[in-house]
Amino acid sequence: ARFLYNRAVIPCIHGVQEVSYYACECIVAGARSSWDNVLVPAARGIGNGISFICTNAIFPISRWILEHLAEALKHGATAMYTYVLEPGGRAAAVVAEHLAKGCVLTAHGV
C-alpha cells in the first residue's frame, strides 16, 4: 500500500496540481491578452466615437438650436413690446391725462 501510495497516488495528485496550475496560468494569460488587445481598444474606440459625435454633431446642433431659440425669443419680446406694452402705455397715458384734466376742472369748480 505504501508503495502504491508513494509511486502512483502522490505522483498523480502532483500531476493534477501541475495541470491545474498551468490551466490557471493559461486562463490568466488569455484574460490579460483579451483585456489588453480586445476590451481596452474597443472601449477606447467607443470613447473616441462618442467624443467625435459630441464634437461634430451634438455641440453644433445645440449651438444652432440655442441661436434660433434666442432669435425667436427676441422676436417674441419685440412683438410683445410693439403690440401690447407700447399701446397699453399710450392708453394709460391718455387715461392719466384725462384724469389730470378732470382733477384740474374739479379743483376750479367747473
Side-chain angles (χ1 to χ4, degrees):
R2 173 77 67 201
F3 178 77
L4 286 174
Y5 178 77
N6 288 333
R7 302 284 183 231
V9 176
I10 295 296
C12 286
I13 290 173
H14 285 298
V16 168
Q17 286 176 340
E18 288 294 318
V19 167
S20 299
Y21 174 77
Y22 291 131
C24 290
E25 286 291 320
C26 289
I27 291 170
V28 167
R32 189 176 302 125
S33 177
S34 64
W35 174 265
D36 292 337
N37 298 317
V38 176
L39 295 176
V40 170
R44 191 174 296 125
I46 290 170
N48 289 341
I50 291 172
S51 175
F52 180 80
I53 289 171
C54 285
T55 302
N56 296 312
I58 293 174
F59 292 148
I61 288 172
S62 62
R63 188 176 304 124
W64 180 84
I65 289 171
L66 289 176
E67 287 171 357
H68 286 81
L69 178 63
E71 190 70 23
L73 289 174
K74 181 183 88 166
H75 288 305
T78 302
M80 176 69 80
Y81 176 78
T82 303
Y83 297 110
V84 175
L85 295 176
E86 188 178 15
R90 284 189 200 139
V94 169
V95 168
E97 182 182 341
H98 287 295
L99 283 175
K101 285 182 183 177
C103 288
V104 168
L105 292 175
T106 303
H108 287 274
V110 177

